[in-house]
Amino acid sequence: MNKRAKFELRKPLVLWSLTLAVFSIFGALRTGAYMVYILMTKGLKHSVCDQGFYNGPVSKFWAYAFVLSKAPELGDTIFIILRKQKLIFLHWYHHITVLLYSWYSYKDMVAGGGWFMTMNYGVHSVMYSYYALRAAGFRVSRKFAMFITLSQITQMLMGCVVNYLVFHWMQHDQCHSHFQNIFWSSLMYLSYLVLFCHFFFEAYIGKMRKTTKAD
């Protein structure tokens, strides 16, 4: 695209973001209901360690759909390139590593998957709704964007906590996982945490300071 004119693609982008928003909202509601039920009836340890999320009558479908969805989500990058917007490292690194880790972990039905998928569905339901509104030309408060990034940071913190719990309970043969998976998952979540915190500072705190100095 270096020597080509950018494509507007506003209508396709609205449709694309809206489709992913609706998919994520349904995924968040269905997996969230399952996780809340397990938490309320069987407790935190069971919600983290039980493999029932992968083969439950409802959650099984949404777990499989989640893993498959990581491939079409790469379409976000195509829109950025065709519209000649800035493609930051965080964007493509996040998309590629989530896809690889999701496919790598799903086959082993490792502990913690229910938490990882439900959190991701929840954040994406808000994020893609925001993208759809922006693409449709609606003026959305900057605070909404800040809320999304803070939600992503919280998700990464929770991912680290869940990995710790899996590792701790795995020592007592109460969680189905293996050290290699926990290592890669922890490295992934920690790197996301650093990158999203850096993005938050650059996109919001840094710009606020510049605006204040300019005034």
Side-chain angles (χ1 to χ4, degrees):
M1 290 298 298
N2 189 39
K3 297 181 180 179
R4 296 174 181 269
K6 69 177 182 179
F7 294 89
E8 288 300 326
L9 301 175
R10 183 173 292 277
K11 290 181 179 179
L13 183 58
V14 172
L15 181 62
W16 173 260
S17 299
L18 187 61
T19 301
L20 288 175
V22 172
F23 167 74
S24 299
I25 289 168
F26 274 102
L29 291 173
R30 300 301 274 169
T31 58
Y34 176 87
M35 293 299 290
V36 169
Y37 172 77
I38 296 299
L39 274 168
M40 298 295 289
T41 58
K42 299 182 180 179
L44 177 63
K45 183 183 290 187
H46 195 87
S47 73
V48 172
C49 298
D50 184 50
Q51 293 175 284
F53 185 88
Y54 294 97
N55 46 41
V58 175
S59 57
K60 177 182 181 179
F61 169 80
W62 288 101
Y64 190 53
F66 175 87
V67 174
L68 292 180
S69 71
K70 295 303 138 188
E73 279 182 9
L74 295 174
D76 292 353
T77 310
I78 295 174
F79 275 103
I80 291 174
I81 293 171
L82 292 178
R83 298 177 77 215
K84 298 189 77 169
Q85 295 181 321
K86 187 177 181 181
L87 181 62
I88 62 174
F89 171 76
L90 172 59
H91 175 90
W92 62 262
Y93 167 74
H94 177 65
H95 272 287
I96 291 173
T97 50
V98 167
L99 182 148
L100 293 174
Y101 177 73
S102 297
W103 290 9
Y104 164 66
S105 298
Y106 181 80
K107 66 181 177 63
D108 293 331
M109 295 193 295
V110 295
W115 275 92
F116 298 152
M117 295 183 202
T118 302
M119 289 191 297
N120 194 264
Y121 269 133
V123 172
H124 277 200
S125 65
V126 180
M127 183 183 78
Y128 281 113
S129 296
Y130 170 76
Y131 289 162
L133 290 171
R134 286 288 302 274
F138 289 96
R139 293 187 65 181
V140 187
S141 173
R142 186 176 178 81
K143 292 180 181 178
F144 196 0
M146 292 179 68
F147 170 76
I148 292 171
T149 307
L150 285 172
S151 299
Q152 291 169 319
I153 291 171
T154 303
Q155 178 192 353
M156 303 320 160
L157 282 170
M158 283 297 299
C160 294
V161 171
V162 170
N163 274 321
Y164 169 77
L165 293 175
V166 171
F167 179 75
H168 175 70
W169 287 324
M170 190 178 71
Q171 310 306 309
H172 307 284
D173 295 323
Q174 295 174 322
C175 261
H176 173 73
S177 190
H178 47 86
F179 179 77
Q180 188 178 31
N181 185 283
I182 295 173
F183 172 79
W184 289 116
S185 180
S186 299
L187 185 64
M188 182 182 73
Y189 272 109
L190 283 170
S191 65
Y192 293 164
L193 180 61
V194 171
L195 289 170
F196 274 107
C197 285
H198 179 263
F199 175 79
F200 184 85
F201 181 83
E202 290 291 318
Y204 306 116
I205 308 299
K207 286 185 179 179
M208 287 172 63
R209 287 180 176 176
K210 288 180 181 178
T211 304
T212 303
K213 287 180 180 179
D215 293 340

